Amino acid sequence: MARARPGTLLYRQDNQNEAYLALDQDVTTIGRSASCDIVIPLSIVLRLHARIELQHDRYVLSDAGSANGTFVNGVRIEQGYQLSTNDEIWLGSPEAAMSFSDPDETLGVVLSGGAPALAIDEEARIVHVYGLPIQLTTLEYELLDYLACQPRKVCTREECFLAVWHQPYDHLTCEHALNACIARLRRNLRAAALQAGLPTPEITTIKRVGFRLDSEVRFTAPSHRPFTMQERAIGK
């Protein structure tokens, strides 16, 4: 029987496009054939390559007798393997790689700490989504921090670009860089929220104007700094 929060596979195509594939059936078949539940159209993948079965509320991966093999974290599996969050699955080779995530694994831990949707430590430049740390580039961090410091405010493209790149915004030369940065930031927030099984912190696009962060944010200073620790909640 399908769970309320199914596990997911993150499949990256050509290291560019990403697809989140829900494991919302008791048995999910994976292979090159169009009859499979998840179709991976690569020559290294057999028509029916592997199965993922829900057993006692945990996901078990097994190879379907493929010649090229099924691997978890670089090791070929010979029998059913119980998957855990962040396990990397290869179908034949790293060319067909997927990352597994089970929100039920981490949800209890995240909720017990009462973690906010976003927490930003500005001194350490660390961002957590529902208590889970995320890796951001310098530009992505600067953009998120700027939006978070303007709670519920629409920040224009000109303001965002100046705050992050420290240069005036020009539509012809700067639009692509800003859009790409926003897209990567959203993708990182979405991946962490998906792992937590909770809603993605929203960055809303205001057409022809700019962006607005519509999420609770908590700013924290490191606890190792006595008498100077500060915390402020935004969006409550």
Side-chain angles (χ1 to χ4, degrees):
M1 186 174 184
R3 303 189 304 174
R5 292 183 302 270
T8 58
L9 295 175
L10 172 59
Y11 173 53
R12 293 184 177 87
Q13 301 172 312
D14 303 323
N15 295 319
Q16 294 180 353
N17 299 319
E18 294 182 341
Y20 290 93
L21 312 169
L23 302 172
D24 52 7
Q25 302 181 116
D26 289 345
V27 178
T28 301
T29 56
I30 309 172
R32 194 175 72 247
S33 171
S35 63
C36 289
D37 299 309
I38 294 176
V39 179
I40 308 296
L42 297 175
S43 59
I44 192 70
V45 178
L46 271 67
R47 291 180 60 80
L48 174 59
H49 198 109
R51 296 182 180 88
I52 297 179
E53 184 174 357
L54 189 59
Q55 298 180 3
H56 307 293
D57 209 38
R58 295 299 301 274
Y59 290 95
V60 176
L61 170 71
S62 59
D63 185 77
S66 69
N68 299 327
T70 299
F71 300 75
V72 177
N73 303 324
V75 178
R76 184 167 183 165
I77 63 172
E78 302 298 336
Q79 55 187 358
Y81 180 93
Q82 183 172 290
L83 293 168
S84 297
T85 294
N86 295 326
D87 278 343
E88 185 170 72
I89 300 167
W90 298 349
L91 302 179
S93 80
E95 181 185 356
M98 296 175 289
S99 179
F100 172 79
S101 177
D102 184 354
D104 280 2
E105 261 185 66
T106 57
L107 185 56
V109 175
V110 172
L111 290 178
S112 65
L118 282 171
I120 300 177
D121 182 335
E122 290 184 299
E123 180 167 302
R125 299 174 68 85
I126 295 174
V127 176
H128 287 79
V129 176
Y130 299 113
L132 302 174
I134 61 174
Q135 297 293 324
L136 299 178
T137 66
T138 298
L139 294 176
E140 292 161 19
Y141 173 84
E142 294 286 353
L143 181 55
L144 178 62
D145 187 59
Y146 177 73
L147 294 173
C149 288
Q150 328 293 322
R152 311 294 181 182
K153 174 183 178 294
V154 177
C155 300
T156 67
R157 287 178 168 272
E158 291 78 9
E159 292 169 338
C160 291
F161 197 86
L162 184 62
V164 175
W165 280 267
H166 309 293
Q167 297 177 14
Y169 179 80
D170 177 80
H171 176 76
L172 294 178
T173 60
C174 304
E175 182 180 26
H176 176 74
L178 181 55
N179 287 343
C181 188
I182 282 283
R184 291 193 304 268
L185 177 56
R186 283 174 170 151
R187 184 170 62 244
N188 286 317
L189 296 176
R190 183 173 63 251
L194 181 68
Q195 184 176 341
L198 293 168
T200 301
E202 289 293 335
I203 299 176
T204 302
T205 297
I206 310 302
K207 194 173 182 180
R208 292 190 292 273
V209 179
F211 308 97
R212 182 184 66 228
L213 181 63
D214 291 322
S215 179
E216 174 197 355
V217 183
R218 185 176 299 163
F219 288 85
T220 62
S223 57
H224 63 264
R225 295 177 58 208
F227 310 117
T228 61
M229 182 172 180
Q230 298 178 344
E231 187 175 78
R232 67 185 188 272
I234 292 178
K236 291 185 176 179

